[in-house]
Amino acid sequence: MEINILFSVSIALCIVAVVFRSKFFLHMMQLEGYKNEQYKKWMNSSSKVYTKKLKNSLIFLTILTVAYIIIAGFNKSIFLFYGYLGIFIVAILYTTDFKKEEAKKELVFTPRAKRLYVSNFIIIFLVLLIVSLIYKGVVSDKQFYLPIVLYMFFILDYFQPKIMILANISVAPIEKKINMYYYEKAQEKVKSMEKLKVVGITGSFGKTSTKFVTATILDEKYNVLKTPESFNTPMGISKVINSDLNDDVEVFVAEMGARNIGDIKELAKLTNPSIGVLTSIGPAHLETFKNIENIMKTKYELIEELPADGVAIFNYDNEHIKKLADKTFKEKILYGLENIDELDIYATDIEVSKLGSTFTLKDKEGNEIKCTTRLLGKHNIYNLLAGASVGKALGLSFEEIKRGIEKVEPIPHRLNIIDPGTGIIIIDDAFNSNPIGARAALEVLSQFKEGKKIIITPGMVELGEREEDANRELGTNIGKVCDYAILVGGKRTKPIYEGLMEVGYSEENVFVVDNLDEATVALQKIVKPKDIVLFENDLPDNYDE
C-alpha cells in the first residue's frame, strides 16, 4: 500500500513536470510560427532547452537507475525501493521550475495550439504504453522494478522539445487542411466584396506603424478595418477577414509580414490588394532570407500581385526600394524627404522635438499644408508620408490628410514617451528594434537638453551576419549621445560594448547585467529626476543569453 502511494506521488510529479515543460515548448513553437526549422534553430541557440540542472539530473538518475537494477538483482530490499523513490522525487522537484515565467508575448491557446498540445501528449502516452507492454512481458517482479517506468517518464520529460517537433509533424496534414479551408473562405469573401478597397503594406521596418497611421488618416473619409497589432500572417489575416470584415467596411488595411520568399505573394493572393505600399527594405530576418536580394524579391511580390490598374507606393529614399520603383510600370506614388523633384509626396520644413514633429506636406501638383504630429523621430515622418500617399490614392484632400495626421496616436513600445510622475522621463522603444529605428530613438533622446541620458538595451537580433556589425555601430552611436549605458546580456551585447570603447566611452559608465531585473537595480543607482531613460528593444521570449 505504502509503495503504491509513493509510486503514485512520483508519477503525479512526473506528469506535472511534463505538463509544465511541454507548455513552455508549445509556447516557443507558437512564437516560431509552428515552423519546425525555425524552432530547431531556436533549440540549438537557447540555453533554456537543456538546462544545467536537467543535464546533471539525467546523468545522476541514469547512474542511479543502473545501480538500482544491479543491486536489486541480488538484494530486493524495501529500503532500496524507498530510497530510489525519495531521491527521484527530489530530482524532479529540483529540475522542474513550477513558477510561471513572465512572458512578453503570452502563449495563446488557439485551436491550433490545443491540437498540437493534445498531439504531444498522445505521443507521450503511446511511448509509455509501448514501454509498459515491454515491461509487462519482460520483467518478472513488476512492483520492485517500477523505478524503470519512472526513469522512462523522466527521459520523456527530458526530450520534450524533440517530442514537440514530432507532434507538430504528426498534425501537419490536419493543420494544412484546416488552414486552407479558412484561407479560401477569407479569399472568397474578399473577392465577393466588389466595392472594397484593400491596402497591402509591407517592409522590413515600419509596416505596423504605417498601418496604424494609414488607417487613422483614411478614417477621415472611409469606414476602415485594419489588421490588429502584428497580425501579418496568412492565418492571422484570414481570421480578421472571416470574423471582422463586413459590408460596412470600405477600406481594409492589411499588414503583410514575411520570413521566406513567397510569403508576401501568398498574402496578396489572399487579400487581393489594389494599393501596395513598400515602407523599407533592410537587414531584417536575414537568418531566413540570407541576403538583401531575397528580401527585395519577396517584398516586391506585393507590387507584382497588384492588378493592372493598381497603385504602387514606394519610399523612394530607400536605396533598395528605389531600384524596385524604377522598374515598375504600374501607376505609382513616390514619397520621401530627399530629391524632392522626383517625388509625388514629400515633406519640408521638418522640425523634430521631444514633443513631436511639425512639417509641411507637399505634392508635385503644388498642394501644401502644415501638419503637426505627436509621433517622435524623423523615421515616423516617412510613415506619415506613406499614409498620406495612400490617402491621396484614395481621393482624400490635403485638409483631410492633415486632420488624420493630427489624430495619429503614438503606438505602445514604438518610441513613445512615458512620464510616470517621478520626474524621470521614459522613452519606450522596446518593440523589435532595428538599425533605422535605433538611430531614430537616439536622435529623439538627443533632443532633451536637461538631465542625464541613459539607455537600457539587449541589442538587436534577427539581422543574420550583419547583427554583430549593426550592434557595434549601435554602440558607437550610443557613445555619442548617452551618459550611461546598461547592456542586458554580456554575450549578445559584446559588439555594443566594443563600439562604445571605440569612441572612448568611459568603462565606469557601462553596466553589463544578465536580465531586466538587474538592469532596474543598476538604473536605480544612477537615475535622478530630470534624467531620460531610453528602453531600446526587448528581446522576444524565444531569445536568451
Side-chain angles (χ1 to χ4, degrees), residues 29 34-36 112 116 119 123 163-173 175:
M29 182 66 85
Y34 300 98
K35 303 279 179 66
N36 282 335
R112 179 170 188 172
L116 179 55
S119 176
I123 290 173
I163 294 172
M164 190 61 69
I165 295 173
L166 287 175
N168 201 35
I169 291 170
S170 69
V171 296
E175 295 304 330

Side-chain angles (χ1 to χ4, degrees), residues 454-458 484-489 511-527 533-538:
I454 304 165
I455 187 170
I456 299 176
T457 182
Y484 288 92
I486 300 174
L487 309 181
V488 183
F511 298 85
V512 181
V513 297
D514 290 332
N515 51 55
L516 211 50
D517 290 337
E518 289 184 17
T520 303
V521 173
L523 177 64
Q524 288 170 347
K525 293 177 182 176
I526 55 176
V527 73
V533 182
L534 168 64
F535 284 86
E536 184 60 30
N537 205 15
D538 187 10

Side-chain angles (χ1 to χ4, degrees), residues 239-356:
K239 183 179 180 182
V240 175
I241 292 170
N242 289 325
S243 303
D244 303 327
L245 188 62
N246 56 51
D247 292 334
D248 294 331
V249 175
E250 296 170 289
V251 181
F252 178 45
V253 182
E255 175 186 344
M256 299 181 175
R259 281 176 175 262
N260 300 282
I261 292 173
D263 285 355
I264 298 298
K265 184 176 183 178
E266 184 181 8
L267 292 169
K269 287 192 176 298
L270 167 65
T271 56
N272 195 28
S274 57
I275 297 173
V277 183
L278 295 192
T279 63
S280 62
I281 288 177
H285 302 307
L286 276 172
E287 291 176 348
T288 52
F289 279 120
K290 306 303 180 187
N291 55 55
I292 289 289
E293 288 69 29
N294 285 338
I295 297 174
M296 291 173 67
K297 182 178 180 180
T298 303
K299 300 304 181 185
Y300 196 66
E301 289 168 0
L302 173 58
I303 308 304
E304 290 175 324
E305 291 299 318
L306 292 176
D309 60 349
V311 181
I313 297 174
F314 299 97
N315 174 2
Y316 206 61
D317 286 358
N318 182 283
E319 60 175 319
H320 305 297
I321 291 180
K322 186 177 187 299
K323 293 176 184 176
L324 298 176
D326 288 343
K327 74 173 187 177
T328 300
F329 293 98
K330 292 174 181 174
E331 182 183 347
K332 55 191 173 185
I333 297 175
L334 310 178
Y335 70 88
L337 303 175
E338 304 164 11
N339 302 316
I340 58 177
D341 292 339
E342 299 177 332
L343 303 175
D344 300 292
I345 291 274
Y346 57 96
T348 61
D349 310 318
I350 299 169
E351 293 181 16
V352 179
S353 75
K354 63 185 182 183
L355 300 175

Side-chain angles (χ1 to χ4, degrees), residues 201-217 277-280 313 315 335-337 345 347 359 361 373 375-391 401 405 408 411 414-415 434 436-437 440:
I201 299 173
T202 191
S204 300
F205 323 116
K207 53 186 175 290
T208 302
S209 298
T210 299
K211 172 186 66 182
F212 281 107
V213 165
T214 301
T216 304
I217 290 172
V277 183
L278 295 192
T279 63
S280 62
I313 297 174
N315 174 2
Y335 70 88
L337 303 175
I345 291 274
F359 61 93
L361 178 68
T373 178
L375 299 186
L376 299 170
K378 187 177 176 181
H379 71 301
N380 269 318
I381 303 295
Y382 283 103
N383 299 334
L384 292 165
L385 287 173
S389 298
V390 176
I401 292 171
I405 287 172
V408 174
I411 301 166
R414 287 176 171 87
L415 203 58
N434 59 73
I436 295 172

Side-chain angles (χ1 to χ4, degrees), residues 55 107 112 117 150 157 286 314 343 404 425 458 469 508 531:
K55 288 177 181 177
L107 168 65
R112 179 170 188 172
Y117 205 38
L150 288 179
D157 185 38
L286 276 172
F314 299 97
L343 303 175
I425 300 297
D469 288 340
E508 293 180 359
D531 289 349

Side-chain angles (χ1 to χ4, degrees), residues 69 88 120 139 143 183 191 227 236 276 292 349-350 367 503 535:
I69 293 169
F88 183 86
N120 177 73
V139 178
Q143 181 166 291
Y183 179 94
K191 285 180 180 177
T227 51
I292 289 289
D349 310 318
I350 299 169
N367 298 306
V503 293
F535 284 86

